[in-house]
Amino acid sequence: MTTPTLPAHLLPDLRQAPPPPPLDHAARTLPSGLRIVAARRASVPMVELRLGVPFGGEEPRHCADAELLVSTLLCGTARRDRDAFERDLAGLGGTLRATVRPERLKITARAPVEGLPLLLDLLADCLTGAAYDPRAVEAERARLVDRVRIAERLPQYAARAALLRHCFGDHPAARETPSADQVAAVPREALPELHRTRLVPGGSVLVLAGDLTPGHALDAAATALADWSGAAPARAMPRPPAVLGGPVATVDRPGVRQADVWLAGPSLPRRDPEYPALHLAEQIVGGYFSSRLMRTLREEAGYVYSARCAAEEIGGQAVNLVQFGCDPRHAAEALDRTLAHLDRIGGDQPPTPEEVRSAAGYSRGVRSITLSSQTGLADALFDACVHDLAPDWLTEFPARLAATGTAQVRAAAARHLSAAAFTGVLLQP
């Protein structure tokens, strides 16, 4: 049975996403070096909080130390034991969690807007008085070891880890997750010292977004975090080496049931004037369901469920990542097709005007949806701030996409997208 479809000329044109409204926001940098940005999005009476602290470390054990620190950071303070802390957070109706990557430590929280003062007090309590109780540390260490061992069995995790080692070698950017043995070896007394020297406000960014008045939110945050201090600014991760094109390495992983392909090539930072054109070219390659990779690998060949191409900034280095998983029997053919498409888009099959319009419409629409919610706005604003972009970049970027023509996208594809510019790994059984 087939599903009837209307001819294309009978389908109405999709309405373009309206331009995002100007962002109502305010910013302030405290004497401690903490930058605070607050933005209003009054869709529901909630507030979203994001705190980012540069948390680089070149020591091989730093990754394990940092992971155990964020696992125990919210497990009680000098003022509140763990039960009291969790009771206050639950009574507030809020959430608070901490994560860490090689570049930075991140705290994510949300709560009803009337509870913002208490939420900020809980945050300040963790930042200035985390207890690192021995029993809590050992309990969280055991949980972290279990999570690491589970992650190590996932082929997607193993493939990304192999790609980072392939591209960056021993650089800290390649150490996203510690081994179970490294976590087990972290001395408990290392955590308070790491907190004292690295979890500091200088160079950090706090974002608040929700049903709030930006100026009042800045005042509340400045008051709550007035006692958070540090002897030196937070330490940024050293910039990783540039990604260079080269052969795709085969990584054998006995027992996995699918092959995973991860490719990496150079991209452009968002501050670069050519970034909008390259962003659209990357979207056309594999940025959404109508992309070339999805058509050739899924619709035509049936090799994959999904394939993606997207830029990621790793320690200030813009990297273009291409990724898909497939049956090991088809991995070599799928990889060949992918590399061929990278050559074609910058060569004899450049982006068409229709592809550019479709990719631009998709990108503007997704951004409009993202910025319409408090969670989406907080995440996008945080991402912009930690990459040294002005908050207004969020609302200005859609207009830059709309102003980018086919000739610019073709030129960006020719300069930056080719099989020779990429390297990668093929993880297989």
Side-chain angles (χ1 to χ4, degrees), residues 261-264 293 308-310 320-324 338 342 422:
V261 174
W262 283 72
L263 305 177
L293 285 183
R308 72 180 187 96
C309 172
N320 188 355
L321 297 177
V322 178
Q323 183 270 329
F324 60 85
T338 300
L342 290 171
F422 282 74

Side-chain angles (χ1 to χ4, degrees), residues 131-141 188:
Y132 300 108
D133 176 77
R135 289 175 299 177
V137 169
E138 294 313 313
E140 294 305 318
R141 187 199 306 273
R188 189 207 70 83

Side-chain angles (χ1 to χ4, degrees), residues 26-293:
R28 183 185 306 171
T29 300
L30 303 186
S32 63
L34 173 66
R35 184 184 179 212
I36 308 173
V37 181
R40 179 172 177 79
R41 180 69 79 237
S43 51
V44 292
M46 300 289 291
V47 62
E48 297 276 347
L49 180 152
R50 307 288 184 271
L51 174 68
V53 181
F55 216 69
E58 299 183 51
E59 308 89 346
R61 57 172 276 184
H62 175 74
C63 179
D65 291 359
E67 285 286 357
L68 188 55
L69 182 142
V70 298
S71 296
T72 52
L73 176 63
L74 310 179
C75 294
T77 70
R79 290 173 50 204
R80 298 175 172 96
D81 63 18
R82 186 169 191 169
D83 289 342
F85 190 92
E86 293 179 352
R87 187 165 55 249
D88 284 352
L89 185 61
L92 174 64
T95 61
L96 188 65
R97 64 187 181 92
T99 56
V100 71
R101 305 279 286 178
E103 300 99 321
R104 70 183 55 85
L105 182 150
K106 181 180 180 182
I107 294 178
T108 303
R110 72 189 312 256
V113 67
E114 66 271 14
L116 178 59
L118 179 53
L119 182 65
L120 290 169
D121 183 65
L122 289 167
L123 174 65
D125 205 8
C126 295
L127 295 174
T128 61
Y132 300 108
D133 176 77
R135 289 175 299 177
V137 169
E138 294 313 313
E140 294 305 318
R141 187 199 306 273
R143 293 189 183 98
L144 179 57
V145 166
D146 287 343
R147 292 199 300 270
V148 168
R149 286 175 174 158
I150 291 171
E152 288 173 343
R153 293 196 290 267
L154 300 176
Q156 299 93 331
Y157 161 84
R160 180 178 171 95
L163 176 72
L164 294 175
R165 290 193 300 270
H166 181 71
C167 293
F168 302 132
D170 291 332
H171 190 277
R175 300 194 288 263
E176 288 190 336
T177 306
S179 69
D181 289 343
Q182 288 174 323
V183 173
V186 176
R188 189 207 70 83
E189 56 271 16
L191 302 182
E193 179 64 12
L194 183 66
H195 184 133
R196 184 185 68 82
T197 58
R198 303 288 185 87
L199 188 49
V200 294
S204 300
V205 175
L206 174 66
V207 168
L208 299 167
D211 187 12
L212 50 79
T213 302
H216 293 166
L218 293 183
D219 292 339
T223 299
L225 299 175
D227 293 334
W228 184 31
S229 62
R235 185 183 301 183
M237 184 182 76
R239 186 180 180 90
V243 175
L244 303 176
V248 175
T250 299
V251 179
D252 293 326
R253 184 81 169 185
V256 299
R257 297 191 176 185
Q258 75 169 28
D260 275 86
V261 174
W262 283 72
L263 305 177
S267 188
L268 294 174
R270 280 169 282 188
R271 295 179 299 277
D272 193 289
E274 198 180 14
Y275 173 77
L278 182 58
H279 171 77
L280 293 178
E282 291 167 346
Q283 290 286 102
I284 292 167
V285 172
Y288 65 125
F289 196 81
S290 298
S291 68
R292 291 186 180 188
L293 285 183

Side-chain angles (χ1 to χ4, degrees), residues 13-33:
D13 290 336
L14 291 175
R15 184 173 65 87
Q16 287 192 0
L23 187 62
D24 181 9
H25 71 282
R28 183 185 306 171
T29 300
L30 303 186
S32 63

Side-chain angles (χ1 to χ4, degrees), residues 274 277-278 281 345-346 350-351 405-417:
E274 198 180 14
L278 182 58
I345 195 169
T406 301
Q408 294 168 284
V409 178
R410 288 178 172 178
R415 273 192 288 270
H416 303 287
L417 295 178

